[in-house]
Amino acid sequence: MSTMLADLGVKDTMTNMNMYLLAALAPLIGSMLTGFFGRKIGRSGSHVVAILGVLVSLILSIKIFIDVLNGNSFNGSVYTWAVVGGVSFEVGFLIDRLSSLMMIVVTSVSLMVHIYTIGYMKDDPGYQRFFSYISLFTFAMLMLVMSNNFLQLFFGWEAVGLVSYLLIGFWYKKDSAIYANLKAFLVNRVGDFGFLLGIALVLHFAGTLDYAAVFDQSEDLSVRQIELFGGVGWSLITVICICLFIGAMGKSAQFPLHVWLPDSMEGPTPISALIHAATMVTAGIFMVARMSPLFEYSEMALSFVLIIGSITALFMGLLGLVQNDIKRVVAYSTLSQLGYMTVALGVSAYSAAMFHLMTHAFFKALLFLAAGSVIIGMHHQQDMRFMGGLRRKMPITWMVSLIGSLALIGFPFLSGFYSKDSIIETVQLSSIPGAGFAYFAVLLGVFVTALYSFRMYFLVFEGNYRGNNQSGQDVSESHHDPHESPPVVWIPLVVLAILSVFSGAISIQPILFGDYFKDVIFVLGSHDVVAQFGEHFHGWLAMGMHGFQTLPFWLAMAGVFTAWFVFYYSPKTRNKLSVFAPLIRLFEQKYFLDKFNEWFFALGARSLGGLLWKVGDQKIIDGFLVNGSAKLVAKMGTRLRRIQTGFISHYAFIMILGAFTLVTIWLFGK
């Protein structure tokens, strides 16, 4: 009987393994078929294959999610790549409640983006290539979230970075796109270097790359010290966590490694939605949540995470106030919301961070795709100063954009309210150093978020249409009249809008206050601010009703009112903003960080390269070593050549002189 049960267990394991493999590989298969055979199967065949791959992955992700909820988790190796010095380098899966949640978020948003792309990219000559890239992007993210070891995590990490390079520079004939993808690639390499150092430290001191084995040693690692500079001892766990978080700073665009994300707008809108909502930028947040057994033993690392997140949440949101490109406003919104998630990680509210990651994925994808719908309707005009009044011309896009904006500012009962307010409350309860500054930053960030979100809303959808200002003619009488997008574009918007409304209320109880993350995320009792917040939680309905009385709500309403007054009711008021000209210039120049990077890093690297080329290569290597040695040999040859005269009498004379010298030495040497 026991043998039969064992056989059944093996069969079940193999069945699950095949399911996990298919869930991860389905987008890869779709990407390869579309990429290699796109011309043969045509445009329709390409998008059918790519969408089918992601759809299969989504269905299997849902099945896996249900299976995990029933208590069937998995942690095991699929393939052993190499064994070096007793360390196994494996491809393996860790399927638990954290990874299964991420799989659903990634595949659902990716599917909506794939469907949306049919309408958005219909006239683009790189149609098949685009579908191949976004399917590959989905595969890379799935490999990252499903990994059970640091090696596979790093593979997914770098694969996401590589494909983002291809996607941001998709329109490779545009100079701005080339600059943007190179910038994203280089900035992420800075973060990835820190990430790799963290993994190397884990391997060196823990002797393994397997998550479970490393986490078992967390407490032992926390008491060890290492010397970095000048014999000063550092906590090993702190150094590991900070190095790992530097990687997250690159991927999740945290200050000061955030500079690449706004420029990623040079890629097509579906890419912006995929990068900003479900894939690349969420990788860092997910990684820190996964590494909670390490971060919990270093309060210094948590404080570092908290401060960086606070700076990003507040100061990146301020930059959204001066943007005129509709996509860039949403991009800076992403930076700010990623800061909120990072702040939650810093106060050990990992579940709140993941909760906001999930809700944010839905409404941020909605906002980006709605912005793309506006761009389609405006015939690829992206400047909000030439929009206005689109509520009447694009009613579906208007409605979903309003829902997305309200979710973003945390309006009660919408998804963003539950996740965002949970973060604010947990920060208030935290005693981690820097929590006071973080609380101030996230509170002020609420006002800023509402201000730039509804500035965008009023400029785009309300008032009078301003598109005719570009040419001086009445555009409403021409073929450039704005129009609603086709169903293949707005149907994904409606689906995402529904998720943006209901996902928060449905999931707050199990994710935050239930036992959903019980055995997945580790939190020390002294850091458990979510449990403290849970003492005041009485259900989603009570929380939503109470939300109308809280300070964040009134700050959000103040932001909405300010935007309404300045950008709709009294536009002349904007002329009086000239008193803030120095501050506006500071925001427009993005705190001069781009200029600093161009001057210090780019110009510095070029100057150093020029110095090494002219001095090191030309003068030392070529001039001194290569050409110098050749000249030395030539001069010696010239001198020696004078001895070789070719006359026998000279050689005889030298022989006689040598013999005389030897005889003299022999006689007088005695």
Side-chain angles (χ1 to χ4, degrees):
M1 185 67 181
S2 60
T3 307
M4 287 179 64
L5 290 174
D7 291 340
L8 286 172
V10 171
K11 289 179 181 178
D12 289 342
T13 302
M14 291 303 298
T15 302
N16 289 340
M17 185 76 73
N18 293 332
M19 182 169 61
Y20 304 147
L21 282 170
L22 184 58
L25 296 178
L28 177 63
I29 295 169
S31 173
M32 293 177 67
L33 290 174
T34 305
F36 292 124
F37 306 103
R39 291 185 179 180
K40 293 184 178 180
I41 62 178
R43 288 181 167 234
S44 298
S46 295
H47 71 237
V48 167
V49 169
I51 290 172
L52 187 62
V54 178
L55 179 61
V56 169
S57 188
L58 173 59
I59 293 170
L60 291 175
S61 296
I62 295 171
K63 190 176 185 308
I64 291 168
F65 180 75
I66 296 170
D67 198 41
V68 169
L69 288 180
N70 292 328
N72 299 315
S73 59
F74 176 83
N75 181 18
S77 173
V78 177
Y79 173 72
T80 300
W81 180 44
V83 179
V84 180
V87 179
S88 292
F89 297 94
E90 299 174 338
V91 176
F93 292 143
L94 173 55
I95 306 299
D96 57 14
R97 296 190 173 192
L98 180 60
S99 56
S100 60
L101 177 65
M102 283 295 297
M103 288 171 68
I104 287 184
V105 171
V106 170
T107 52
S108 60
V109 173
S110 179
L111 180 62
M112 295 300 104
V113 170
H114 274 70
I115 297 170
Y116 177 94
T117 299
I118 298 173
Y120 192 89
M121 300 292 290
K122 64 178 181 179
D123 298 323
D124 197 283
Y127 189 84
Q128 293 97 319
R129 178 166 57 93
F130 189 85
F131 272 101
S132 179
Y133 286 173
I134 58 177
S135 293
L136 186 61
F137 204 38
T138 307
F139 159 74
M141 191 64 189
L142 287 172
M143 291 299 290
L144 189 155
V145 301
M146 295 172 70
S147 63
N148 76 334
N149 62 83
F150 285 92
L151 176 69
Q152 188 175 327
L153 174 69
F154 189 71
F155 164 77
W157 198 266
E158 293 301 310
V160 166
L162 173 62
V163 186
S164 73
Y165 173 83
L166 299 173
L167 288 169
I168 295 170
F170 180 79
W171 289 321
Y172 54 85
K173 293 184 179 180
K174 289 173 61 180
D175 290 339
S176 56
I178 296 170
Y179 174 80
N181 72 350
L182 185 61
K183 185 178 182 179
F185 192 79
L186 292 176
V187 172
N188 273 279
R189 296 292 73 72
V190 175
D192 293 353
F193 179 69
F195 189 59
L196 190 59
L197 285 177
I199 294 175
L201 286 170
V202 168
L203 178 59
H204 180 73
F205 288 99
T208 180
L209 291 172
D210 183 75
Y211 288 164
V214 173
F215 296 160
D216 287 340
Q217 302 180 51
S218 297
E219 197 167 356
D220 294 333
L221 294 173
S222 66
V223 298
R224 299 185 66 173
Q225 299 274 318
I226 58 171
E227 293 184 3
L228 296 179
F229 314 104
V232 179
W234 286 71
S235 168
L236 173 62
I237 200 82
T238 298
V239 175
I240 289 174
C241 290
I242 289 177
C243 285
L244 291 175
F245 181 68
I246 289 172
M249 287 168 63
K251 280 289 180 288
S252 292
Q254 296 297 294
F255 177 87
L257 301 181
H258 67 279
V259 293
W260 68 270
L261 193 60
D263 291 320
S264 68
M265 298 300 97
E266 293 298 331
T269 297
I271 290 310
S272 304
L274 202 56
I275 288 178
H276 286 247
T279 54
M280 191 167 174
V281 296
T282 62
I285 308 298
F286 165 80
M287 185 273 295
V288 176
R290 175 64 81 191
M291 302 299 152
S292 60
L294 297 178
F295 279 84
E296 279 300 287
Y297 287 103
S298 175
E299 198 162 279
M300 183 181 291
L302 288 174
S303 185
F304 179 75
V305 172
L306 181 60
I307 296 298
I308 294 294
S310 305
I311 294 171
T312 308
L314 176 59
F315 291 97
M316 297 305 107
L318 290 169
L319 300 185
L321 296 172
V322 298
Q323 304 301 316
N324 294 314
D325 187 317
I326 185 172
K327 287 174 62 177
R328 283 189 175 266
V329 176
V330 188
Y332 280 106
S333 162
T334 302
L335 283 172
S336 180
Q337 297 307 304
L338 287 168
Y340 275 85
M341 299 176 209
T342 306
V343 165
L345 296 172
V347 297
S348 296
Y350 306 98
S351 55
M354 292 304 302
F355 183 34
H356 195 50
L357 184 154
M358 180 191 72
T359 60
H360 173 264
F362 297 137
F363 64 72
K364 186 51 55 73
L366 171 63
L367 285 171
F368 263 115
L369 298 185
S373 179
V374 169
I375 293 169
I376 294 173
M378 289 291 298
H379 303 276
H380 297 281
Q381 172 62 263
Q382 296 183 198
D383 196 324
M384 298 186 298
R385 292 172 295 183
F386 301 113
M387 299 179 186
L390 297 186
R391 175 169 61 90
R392 296 176 293 274
K393 300 176 182 292
M394 305 179 68
I396 299 175
T397 302
W398 160 70
M399 180 56 67
V400 298
S401 296
L402 180 59
I403 291 172
S405 298
L406 289 172
L408 173 61
I409 70 171
F411 193 82
F413 293 107
L414 298 185
S415 62
F417 161 75
Y418 292 103
S419 57
K420 195 173 183 178
D421 270 39
S422 297
I423 291 174
I424 295 171
E425 292 293 335
T426 53
V427 173
Q428 187 181 14
L429 295 169
S430 176
S431 59
I432 298 288
F437 169 69
Y439 185 62
F440 166 77
V442 295
L443 271 182
L444 187 57
V446 172
F447 172 80
V448 173
T449 301
L451 181 55
Y452 68 66
S453 298
F454 276 83
R455 170 182 176 266
M456 177 181 69
Y457 171 79
F458 287 118
L459 286 177
V460 173
F461 294 104
E462 301 295 342
N464 297 318
Y465 181 60
R466 300 179 297 277
N468 56 348
N469 293 340
Q470 301 171 80
S471 59
Q473 63 178 350
D474 188 359
V475 182
S476 63
E477 298 178 0
S478 73
H479 66 282
H480 291 296
D481 187 35
H483 57 84
E484 185 60 88
S485 300
V488 73
V489 170
W490 62 256
I491 287 175
L493 295 178
V494 173
V495 174
L496 289 168
I498 294 170
L499 291 170
S500 299
V501 173
F502 297 107
S503 61
I506 293 171
S507 55
I508 184 171
Q509 174 66 49
I511 289 181
L512 279 192
F513 310 113
D515 58 354
Y516 184 82
F517 287 129
K518 181 180 179 183
D519 299 320
V520 179
I521 290 174
F522 173 76
V523 181
L524 292 174
S526 57
H527 295 165
D528 200 352
V529 288
V530 174
Q532 297 178 46
F533 176 46
E535 295 173 1
H536 308 286
F537 179 75
H538 303 291
W540 65 270
L541 181 61
M543 183 176 177
M545 295 300 296
H546 179 69
F548 291 105
Q549 308 170 30
T550 60
L551 180 59
F553 172 76
W554 291 109
L555 286 171
M557 291 302 100
V560 173
F561 175 79
T562 305
W564 170 82
F565 186 82
V566 175
F567 300 101
Y568 178 71
Y569 181 76
S570 181
K572 294 180 180 179
T573 310
R574 279 179 276 178
N575 299 328
K576 299 178 182 179
L577 297 178
S578 58
V579 296
F580 299 107
L583 195 61
I584 292 172
R585 173 167 169 74
L586 180 65
F587 293 162
E588 288 176 341
Q589 295 297 323
K590 309 169 192 173
Y591 307 116
F592 295 95
L593 284 172
D594 277 343
K595 290 188 179 296
F596 175 78
N597 290 334
E598 289 173 5
W599 171 76
F600 186 80
F601 291 108
L603 184 62
R606 290 179 62 187
S607 301
L608 180 62
L611 180 67
L612 292 174
W613 168 51
K614 291 182 179 179
V615 177
D617 189 24
Q618 290 187 334
K619 291 186 178 181
I620 297 176
I621 297 174
D622 286 344
F624 180 74
L625 295 177
V626 179
N627 296 335
S629 59
K631 288 178 181 179
L632 179 63
V633 171
K635 288 181 180 180
M636 291 177 63
T638 301
R639 300 287 190 275
L640 293 172
R641 190 168 63 247
R642 294 174 181 175
I643 302 174
Q644 303 291 333
T645 61
F647 295 105
I648 296 177
S649 56
H650 290 177
Y651 299 152
F653 176 74
I654 292 172
M655 290 174 65
I656 293 169
L657 185 63
F660 178 77
T661 303
L662 288 173
V663 170
T664 303
I665 292 172
W666 181 70
L667 289 173
F668 292 97
K670 294 182 176 181

